[in-house]
Amino acid sequence: MKKLLTLTVLIVFAQLAVHAQQPKRPDPQPAPETQENFKLGVAGYTFHKFDLQTTLETLQRCDVHYLCIKDFHLPVASTDEEIAAFHAKCAEYGVKGYAVGPLYMKSKEDVDKYFDYAKRVGVNTIVGVPNYDLLPYVDEKVKEYGFFYAIHLHGPDIDIYQDADEVWEKTKDLDPRIGMCLDIGHDTRNGKDPVADLKKYHSRVFDIHLKDVTGTTKLGYSVEVGRGIIDFPAFVKMMRKVNYTGVISLEHERNMDNPFMGIAESIGYFRAMIVATR
């Protein structure tokens, strides 16, 4: 019996020694944006048909760590305890909620409500769509709160803030913390060049929505990044040239009942452009 026990112990030690001598398999390389000044995220609207759990699991699988918070995941009426629980849940998956929105503001009461919401959530950026007549009041609130206010442009789909030129014209004389969320897909669908617009207006670009589209008019529609007409190598190079330090967040709007393959494809393509343009 002693001989058998001794033999068993020797076999175990031998196996451990063999394993100890085997070289460690190399880990994957870190996500390429970790070497950039900008960060890659996801806009919450991408998951408007899915709950927070599914959203966070998807971001974790894609190795994405920034989320623009939509109010269907964290309602405006949330208590401080619910907000704390939301952030704790995000942290479990290595995700940070970096901004709130888009939030549509049609009255001063809306402006008050959403600025208070952003403060309670603990972010310093609001992606908003205020009525034109509310811009002076938004200017006051930005001065009061010290937030960045990024107006989301929508191309030809709505009558206000259709492209980067329009946002600039409406905000250039306001507080410099009021600017745009440059949605490069909608900008393109309004006949504009998002590369040129990033160059012109980079000092007022506080958020970017990443997407691709099929055309330069309202007939163009959203597709997986890399399958449309946007020049992504040029766009990545321009982000570096203007030293964009914010988040570029994928807002995937195709096959939204089952967007997951499209999300992964889009993130993978964009990361490939980061590497290919170095």
Side-chain angles (χ1 to χ4, degrees), residues 29-218:
Q29 293 295 304
E33 70 270 14
T34 59
Q35 300 179 41
E36 305 289 344
N37 289 330
F38 57 82
K39 296 173 280 290
L40 179 60
V42 172
Y45 181 71
T46 299
F47 295 97
H48 85 280
K49 294 189 176 183
F50 298 92
D51 61 13
L52 180 63
Q53 181 71 32
T54 302
T55 299
L56 295 175
E57 288 175 356
T58 304
L59 266 64
Q60 185 181 58
R61 291 188 184 115
C62 293
D63 196 18
V64 172
H65 302 281
Y66 296 91
L67 175 69
C68 188
I69 302 165
K70 275 295 286 181
D71 49 340
F72 48 70
H73 284 150
L74 183 62
V76 176
S78 296
T79 64
D80 291 344
E81 291 75 17
E82 289 168 334
I83 291 171
F86 173 90
H87 287 307
K89 185 72 171 177
C90 289
E92 289 178 20
Y93 290 84
V95 173
K96 178 180 180 179
Y98 72 92
V100 293
L103 296 167
Y104 294 81
M105 304 181 185
K106 300 182 182 301
S107 67
K108 286 187 174 182
E109 289 74 20
D110 285 343
V111 176
D112 290 341
K113 176 175 63 177
Y114 290 134
F115 269 80
D116 177 69
Y117 170 63
K119 182 178 180 180
R120 292 188 299 109
V121 172
V123 297
N124 69 351
T125 302
I126 297 174
V127 180
V129 188
N131 286 359
Y132 290 150
D133 63 294
L134 291 172
L135 285 172
Y137 192 57
V138 169
D139 189 61
E140 293 177 21
K141 301 300 280 189
V142 164
K143 289 178 170 62
E144 177 184 348
Y145 282 78
F147 290 164
F148 290 95
Y149 192 94
I151 296 177
H152 187 284
L153 55 92
H154 280 83
D157 293 334
I158 64 175
D159 293 333
I160 59 175
Y161 309 118
Q162 294 188 330
D163 55 44
D165 289 336
E166 183 179 355
V167 176
W168 169 258
E169 287 300 321
K170 294 293 183 182
T171 62
K172 63 183 180 181
D173 297 322
L174 301 177
D175 189 288
R177 290 166 292 190
I178 301 175
M180 68 186 76
C181 170
L182 178 59
D183 186 308
I184 63 176
H186 289 321
D187 201 45
T188 300
R189 290 175 63 244
N190 216 49
K192 304 297 183 178
D193 177 358
V195 179
D197 285 344
L198 178 60
K199 182 179 181 180
K200 284 190 290 185
Y201 304 129
H202 63 89
S203 65
R204 294 290 188 97
V205 175
F206 304 132
D207 195 27
I208 297 175
H209 277 179
L210 170 64
K211 61 176 59 133
D212 207 351
V213 293
T214 60
T216 59
T217 71
K218 190 174 183 177

